């Protein structure tokens, strides 16, 4: 049975697309047949982060409206044959996504893939609603910052009431906290909410903490998800996150201030 | 020149303020949605953490106590929800 996972947050710019790209890439690297869908109709971006923007011919809305079939619209990742991308449409028609249309596409994808990752748009309107509606699990992406945490809590409320699972009484969407853009130095100074603060408030299990890292920008510049950069902390943190999601027990790294050793001080490591 | 004032004006850490404010808005939000927190203690009332924080602040106006001094809990008794509070005062010396 394919698993549908929504990457959601309420607030924009917190790292949903970055997380979707690395999460999907990491699942595929572990041999899972994975497809990642951009639900951000009108603001297509996942293709850029995945580095396949020049190969988008048909998109999600084309498939829903019967203008193309899935085989034509799915873009195979250039590095991993287990991974496919379904781009968002750039249409300005807000109602381009219908519940029945989304359901049909997800059902068709479920026949072929192990994991379907849905990159949600910001907000709590139609696009965000449909991205989460059919989910089995949710990665709730949050920054250690008041407005992001509050919005994540709103989204938790929607996950527990406005999803197929909850409406049909088929149990709960399994929620995972992904805390991104974390800066342990600022936390230690008391300037930033800590992992524990956010966990206390949102009260859902922690899947991963991704540190604030300049490599994320570098990765998006070159169109290679940051998880592929295993020399970097953010890349390593995403790798841990995927391993944990698949049931491995890995300690959380990058949540404490790294005490620099003499040598790394000397050489600026 | 007020050197001391200059040193003191170094900003106080704001993460705690952020946490307290969030606990409040989240508690209200959850009540409005008719949601309960599902923390480890299983279906506790959502505003409990915020209530506890505020009680602690009030107690601390009069005595200095550790974080653990205030305990709040909701018990179900014969269909009634009972709010139970325990405030441990420090021993007098
Ligand atoms: N861990 C991180 N460290 C530094 N910058 C990050 C990190 N995660 C995301 N960003 C940056 O934040 C911005 C928003 O990220 P994005 O994934 O597009 O968010 P969303 O999809 O939630 O709107 C981008 O510029 C991205 O490069
Ligand atoms: Mg995005």
């Amino acid at each position: 049975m394919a698993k549908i996972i929504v990457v959601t947050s309420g607030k924009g710019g917190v790292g949903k697309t970055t997380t979707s790209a690395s999460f999907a890439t990491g699942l595929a690297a572990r041999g899972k047949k994975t497809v990642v869908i951009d639900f951000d109709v009108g603001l297509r971006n996942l293709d850029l982060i995945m580095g396949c923007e020049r190969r988008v011919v048909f998109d999600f809305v084309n498939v829903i409206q019967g203008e193309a079939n899935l085989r034509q619209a799915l873009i195979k990742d250039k590095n991993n044959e287990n991974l496919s991308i379904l781009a968002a449409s750039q249409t300005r028609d807000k109602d381009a996504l219908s519940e029945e249309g989304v359901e049909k596409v997800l059902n068709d994808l479920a026949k072929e893939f192990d994991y379907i990752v849905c990159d949600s748009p910001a907000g709590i309107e139609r696009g965000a609603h449909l991205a989460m509606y059919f989910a089995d699990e949710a990665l709730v992406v949050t920054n250690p910052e008041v407005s992001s945490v509050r919005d994540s809590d709103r989204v938790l409320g929607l996950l527990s009431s406005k999803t197929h699972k909850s409406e049909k009484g088929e149990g709960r969407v399994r929620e995972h906290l992904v805390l991104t853009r974390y800066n342990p130095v600022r936390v230690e100074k008391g300037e930033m909410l800590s992992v524990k603060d956010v966990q206390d408030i949102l009260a859902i299990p922690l899947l991963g903490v991704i540190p604030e890292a300049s490599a994320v920008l570098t990765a998006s510049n070159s169109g290679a998800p940051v998880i592929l950069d295993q020399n970097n902390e953010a890349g390593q943190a995403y790798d841990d996150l995927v391993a944990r999601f698949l049931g491995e027990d890995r300690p959380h790294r990058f949540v404490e201030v790294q005490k620099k050793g003499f040598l790394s001080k000397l050489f600026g490591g | 020149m007020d050197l001391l004032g200059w040193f003191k004006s170094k900003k106080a850490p704001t993460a705690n303020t952020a946490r307290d404010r969030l606990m409040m808005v989240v508690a209200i939000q959850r009540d409005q949605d008719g949601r309960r927190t599902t923390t480890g203690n299983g279906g506790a009332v959502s505003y409990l953490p915020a209530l506890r924080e505020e009680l602690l602040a009030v107690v601390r106006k009069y005595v200095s106590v550790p974080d653990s001094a205030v305990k709040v809990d909701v018990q179900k008794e014969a269909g009634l929800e009972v709010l139970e509070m325990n405030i441990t005062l420090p021993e007098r010396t």
Side-chain angles (χ1 to χ4, degrees):
Chain A
M1 260 284 279
K3 243 192 197 135
I4 303 177
I5 303 133
V6 62
V7 180
T8 182
S9 71
K11 191 170 156 69
V14 295
K16 289 180 294 295
T17 300
T18 305
T19 299
S20 299
S22 279
F23 182 59
T25 303
L27 288 172
R30 284 177 166 74
K32 310 292 181 193
K33 294 211 68 182
T34 306
V35 57
V36 55
I37 310 177
D38 190 345
F39 271 77
D40 208 341
V41 172
L43 294 170
R44 173 196 291 166
N45 265 330
L46 182 69
D47 56 334
L48 275 174
I49 304 302
M50 299 291 301
C52 65
E53 70 279 4
R54 288 168 52 182
R55 292 191 288 141
V56 179
V57 181
F58 294 109
D59 58 54
F60 194 15
V61 170
N62 291 141
V63 178
I64 287 179
Q65 297 182 343
E67 295 153 3
N69 60 38
L70 266 178
R71 209 152 303 284
Q72 293 171 297
L74 286 176
I75 305 166
K76 278 236 183 259
D77 182 70
K78 52 186 182 290
N79 301 311
N80 193 320
E81 57 165 21
N82 293 324
L83 180 58
S84 294
I85 298 115
L86 186 53
S89 161
Q90 288 291 45
T91 176
R92 285 157 73 174
D93 174 12
K94 279 192 158 183
D95 301 325
L97 295 183
S98 64
E99 193 176 302
E100 304 73 43
V102 171
E103 183 170 28
K104 175 157 193 322
V105 172
L106 292 177
N107 281 337
D108 288 345
L109 289 171
K111 292 174 196 148
E112 246 186 89
F113 292 92
D114 303 320
Y115 290 97
I116 303 170
V117 179
C118 304
D119 180 18
S120 174
I124 52 175
E125 300 301 320
R126 191 181 187 83
H129 168 70
L130 287 174
M132 74 168 63
Y133 189 70
F134 296 100
D136 300 302
E137 308 204 18
L139 306 193
V140 179
V141 180
T142 308
N143 291 168
E145 178 266 321
V146 284
S147 54
S148 172
V149 176
R150 178 201 243 179
D151 288 1
S152 288
D153 182 69
R154 279 297 320 266
V155 160
L156 288 175
L158 298 175
L159 284 168
S160 68
S161 62
K162 298 280 190 292
T163 55
H164 188 82
K165 261 190 146 62
S166 58
E167 287 178 4
K168 304 285 183 261
E170 292 168 3
R172 290 183 62 87
V173 176
R174 193 162 160 222
E175 299 145 342
H176 308 267
L177 176 61
V178 178
L179 193 56
T180 60
R181 313 200 67 161
Y182 196 68
N183 185 334
V185 175
R186 302 199 69 184
V187 172
E188 199 173 82
K189 285 187 190 151
E191 295 173 355
M192 184 182 266
L193 289 165
S194 69
V195 182
K196 183 170 179 304
D197 290 338
V198 179
Q199 259 188 297
D200 282 352
I201 293 159
L202 295 180
I204 58 172
L206 179 68
L207 183 64
V209 180
I210 314 298
E212 170 85 24
S214 55
V216 174
L217 181 61
T218 320
S220 70
N221 284 343
S222 51
V226 71
I227 193 171
L228 295 173
D229 181 0
Q230 280 303 306
N231 292 320
N232 175 266
E233 291 189 347
Q236 293 166 12
Y238 274 119
D239 189 64
D240 286 350
L241 177 151
V242 174
R244 255 180 237 121
F245 184 84
L246 294 175
E248 249 180 74
D249 193 15
R250 292 209 184 170
H252 290 279
R253 302 187 270 173
F254 320 117
V255 291
E256 306 289 341
V257 175
Q258 306 288 310
K259 299 279 179 268
K260 283 202 172 168
F262 172 72
L263 280 179
S264 60
K265 261 186 199 153
L266 207 61
F267 297 109
Chain B
M1 204 172 112
D2 184 7
L3 262 183
L4 199 65
W6 182 76
F7 276 115
K8 275 188 187 155
S9 77
K10 195 165 169 271
K11 283 217 190 68
T14 51
N16 287 337
T17 318
R19 191 193 56 204
D20 295 347
R21 291 173 60 220
L22 269 169
M23 285 194 158
M24 196 60 57
V25 294
V26 162
I28 293 166
Q29 197 159 278
R30 287 179 187 175
D31 268 8
Q32 284 168 348
D33 294 2
R35 266 191 295 156
R36 294 271 170 105
T37 27
T38 44
T39 35
N41 46 3
V45 179
S46 57
Y47 53 78
L48 277 194
L51 177 67
R52 203 191 77 87
E53 291 286 326
E54 280 188 73
L55 277 172
L56 193 59
V58 173
V59 173
R60 280 179 174 161
K61 281 189 186 165
Y62 303 94
V63 278
S64 107
V65 291
D67 270 5
S68 57
V70 174
K71 294 208 168 69
V72 293
D73 202 6
V74 170
Q75 309 281 344
K76 269 215 186 323
E77 285 171 20
L80 276 183
E81 283 188 318
V82 178
L83 182 60
E84 191 182 275
M85 294 183 227
N86 267 303
I87 302 173
T88 319
L89 294 175
E91 279 180 37
R92 282 173 200 275
T93 43

